[in-house]
Amino acid sequence: MKIAFTTKGSDWDSEIDSRFGRTEYILIYNDENEQLTSVDNRAIENEDHGAGPLTAQKLFEYKPDVLITGNGPGGNASRILEKSDIQIYIGAGNLTVKKALDEFKNNRLTNKNQ
């Protein structure tokens, strides 16, 4: 399973970014090989409009099964993500990536798809 996190940094101790569209980084954790991949998304700051859909498109390139974020994607990004099979979990704001993964594994995050 691949799990994507919206983050303010590029490692396990990075804080989850509560924003989806303008997140600074997307971290992808592959639990099969325990590999963590960092995707720099800071160029999105230069976009006046459409940050959410652009970040969603970038996310699709990595084919995650799960997205863990703070507040969740906004309207336009949500509509795009609804067309995918990605399960979206919210409520991880202010947690580290490591802690958010633990909360996810213990079913303590909110599944936005349900």
Side-chain angles (χ1 to χ4, degrees):
M1 172 171 41
K2 288 184 183 176
I3 303 170
F5 302 86
T6 59
T7 68
K8 296 180 180 181
S10 58
D11 60 34
W12 282 111
D13 294 321
S14 299
E15 185 178 331
I16 295 291
D17 196 330
S18 61
R19 307 166 300 169
F20 172 77
R22 296 201 181 273
T23 188
E24 294 177 32
Y25 293 89
I26 300 169
L27 294 186
I28 309 290
Y29 173 64
N30 185 331
D31 74 345
E32 290 178 16
N33 60 15
E34 298 185 355
Q35 183 176 353
L36 188 67
T37 304
S38 174
V39 179
D40 191 334
N41 196 50
R42 292 176 293 179
I44 205 73
E45 293 173 5
N46 299 324
E47 297 295 328
D48 291 332
H49 302 285
L54 290 172
T55 298
Q57 291 299 325
K58 184 176 276 192
L59 184 67
F60 290 154
E61 293 174 25
Y62 296 91
K63 300 179 174 98
D65 302 292
V66 171
L67 168 65
I68 297 176
T69 188
N71 297 328
N76 290 334
S78 285
R79 282 188 285 284
I80 291 170
L81 290 168
E82 284 172 4
K83 296 176 185 174
S84 74
D85 291 330
I86 300 171
Q87 292 295 304
I88 301 170
Y89 288 83
I90 59 173
N94 300 321
L95 300 176
T96 65
V97 174
K98 192 180 300 182
K99 180 67 174 167
L101 180 60
D102 183 56
E103 294 291 299
F104 168 73
K105 286 180 176 180
N106 289 297
N107 296 312
R108 291 191 286 241
L109 297 176
T110 302
N111 186 334
K112 191 172 180 201
N113 301 82
Q114 295 179 345

